[in-house]
Amino acid sequence: MGRLNDLANLGQAVWLDFVDRKFLAEGGLQKLVDEDSLTGVTSNPSIFEKAMGHGDAYDAELAAFDHANPDASTMERYEHLAILDIQAAADTLRPVYDRLGTKDGYVSLEVSPYLANDTDGTIAEAQKLWAAVDRANLMIKIPGTPAGVPAIAATIDAGINVNVTLLFSQSAYQAVAEAYVEGLEKRVARGEPIDHIASVASFFVSRIDSKIDDKIDAGIGGDAAKPLKGKVAIANAKLAYAWYEEFIASARWQALAAKGAQVQRLLWASTGTKNPDYPDTLYLDTLIGKDTVNTVPPKTLDAFRERGTAKLTLTEDVAGARHVLSETERLGLDLDGVTDTLVEEGVASFSKAFDDLLGAIAAKHPAHA
């Protein structure tokens, strides 16, 4: 039993922020499940771009698909490859899903980032991908943009598990939590079950510190701001969790819990440390709490296994976290502006990765050979 197993015992799930055909085929995921209590996998356009766009691991499968479907679009070719990977990961995690009674063992597949501002398009794509993957332990990833919020409610209402991505601000997270509850309540009103539906709210961490630290380094807030470096993202996450604890104690949530509803767990994303001056396990060590998830890139997973600290930290010094955020506001560091910018940049980054991914797949078409 190592440090990663200790996290499971403290009530925090560890998911891998990585998927790749070779890794799956060679038993890499299974090994992490068996040895490190890993209980989930997340993917995104950037991960698929690295996996499919580089190397030859997908070439044989793509050639076979092209032979059988000579008129397929580049998007259809991508979806065919992605769905096979997601199905393989879901099948590896199915015993976890069964053992934990649908509470975990999920793999996430993202709707097209081109749909981030299209509610109806997102709903339709979520239903299409859900049907195509055809695995009970799939989560469809939907960005928590203003257009994404009603799509999340509708997708939960349809009985589809949702991983809400690109959350940076507490207000955006709260809107998403309300959307999850709204979707469940609509099912209850129709007499439909809700006990098998799961959702996570992916709250991004390290990118906030990168932006705030840059402002501090540029002199905003003066010397008084310097002690805030590397602290704002963690404080922001702690207060999101404090709100979550209040929310699940509310009468509105308790009515759903009585019907078997699963809590929408906060998932810490972007937990690889961007600043080399910070410990590489910073965003794991400081955000350990009950009924949460940390989705971790392989390198950070290895770092925590070697030197992480497993103890409940998420609920420590919440008053200190409030002070950090009040100082952030007082000193003009504009956290709201930072989080708004990060959502826009996140959508643009995933769209760019998707552009590159589709371009790489298009270049592998036999007609281009």
Side-chain angles (χ1 to χ4, degrees):
M1 298 294 282
R3 291 180 175 89
L4 289 161
N5 307 95
D6 292 340
L7 292 181
N9 294 331
L10 292 170
Q12 182 171 68
V14 178
W15 289 6
L16 184 70
D17 196 26
F18 176 76
V19 67
D20 175 271
R21 172 135 326 168
K22 197 171 173 208
F23 173 77
L24 294 169
E26 292 177 353
L29 176 58
Q30 187 65 58
K31 187 171 190 284
L32 293 175
V33 170
D34 294 342
E35 296 180 6
D36 292 315
S37 301
L38 192 91
T39 54
V41 169
T42 46
S43 66
N44 63 45
S46 300
I47 288 170
F48 274 128
E49 193 274 324
K50 289 186 183 77
M52 295 178 190
H54 307 275
D56 57 7
Y58 293 81
D59 290 3
E61 179 63 44
L62 188 58
F65 180 76
D66 287 340
H67 182 73
N69 304 274
D71 299 323
S73 68
T74 303
M75 182 69 86
E76 287 167 338
R77 298 164 81 227
Y78 152 71
E79 287 180 354
H80 173 73
L81 295 176
I83 286 165
L84 287 174
D85 276 5
I86 295 298
Q87 287 174 329
D91 292 345
T92 300
L93 289 163
R94 182 62 195 243
V96 175
Y97 174 84
D98 292 338
R99 174 169 56 82
L100 298 177
T102 79
K103 300 290 190 288
D104 213 330
Y106 289 93
V107 57
S108 299
L109 176 62
E110 190 150 349
V111 297
S112 164
Y114 302 151
L115 298 171
N117 299 308
D118 180 347
T119 302
D120 292 341
T122 296
I123 294 168
E125 173 113 337
Q127 292 176 339
K128 182 186 86 169
L129 292 174
W130 175 257
V133 174
D134 192 24
R135 297 293 187 273
N137 58 329
L138 172 70
M139 279 188 177
I140 300 295
K141 263 178 127 169
I142 297 174
T145 55
V149 170
I152 290 156
T155 304
I156 292 293
D157 182 14
I160 296 169
N161 308 311
V162 176
N163 175 343
V164 184
T165 188
L166 287 180
L167 296 173
F168 294 91
S169 74
Q170 292 175 56
S171 59
Y173 160 58
Q174 290 166 17
V176 157
E178 299 267 354
Y180 176 56
V181 166
E182 183 188 319
L184 294 176
E185 286 172 341
K186 285 184 175 173
R187 289 182 65 82
V188 168
R190 293 195 305 272
E192 294 180 2
I194 57 172
D195 57 335
H196 64 291
I197 299 169
S199 181
V200 294
S202 296
F203 202 84
F204 283 55
V205 188
S206 65
R207 296 182 199 180
I208 289 175
D209 278 341
S210 297
K211 290 277 191 203
I212 294 284
D213 288 1
D214 284 348
K215 289 188 165 206
I216 295 170
D217 289 342
I220 296 173
D223 287 344
K226 287 178 182 172
L228 298 176
K229 283 187 71 171
K231 301 240 176 89
V232 175
I234 292 161
N236 195 42
K238 284 190 174 193
L239 293 187
Y241 187 74
W243 182 88
Y244 156 85
E245 290 190 303
E246 288 179 16
F247 188 61
I248 62 168
S250 69
R252 185 182 183 192
W253 174 257
Q254 288 299 317
L256 290 169
K259 296 187 181 301
Q262 300 183 32
V263 295
Q264 182 188 51
R265 291 176 292 171
L266 270 160
L267 175 151
W268 312 122
S270 183
T271 53
T273 309
K274 305 279 192 286
N275 187 332
D277 294 338
Y278 298 156
D280 50 6
T281 60
L282 177 67
Y283 300 113
L284 278 83
D285 294 341
T286 53
L287 298 174
I288 300 167
K290 189 173 179 293
D291 288 330
T292 59
V293 183
N294 203 316
T295 185
V296 189
K299 195 173 158 190
T300 310
L301 193 78
D302 292 341
F304 189 87
R305 190 190 294 109
E306 287 176 19
R307 53 187 168 276
T309 304
K311 66 171 192 154
L312 290 171
T313 49
L314 189 54
T315 51
E316 284 182 351
D317 196 18
V318 174
R322 289 189 200 284
H323 177 69
V324 165
L325 291 199
S326 66
E327 283 291 276
T328 303
E329 186 175 353
R330 182 179 74 83
L331 295 168
L333 292 165
D334 189 18
L335 180 58
D336 288 342
V338 164
T339 56
D340 287 348
T341 299
L342 283 167
V343 174
E344 291 171 17
E345 288 181 357
V347 170
S349 170
F350 282 165
S351 294
K352 168 72 167 62
F354 212 54
D355 289 345
D356 293 345
L357 167 60
L358 295 179
I361 290 171
K364 289 186 174 185
H365 195 285
H368 292 234

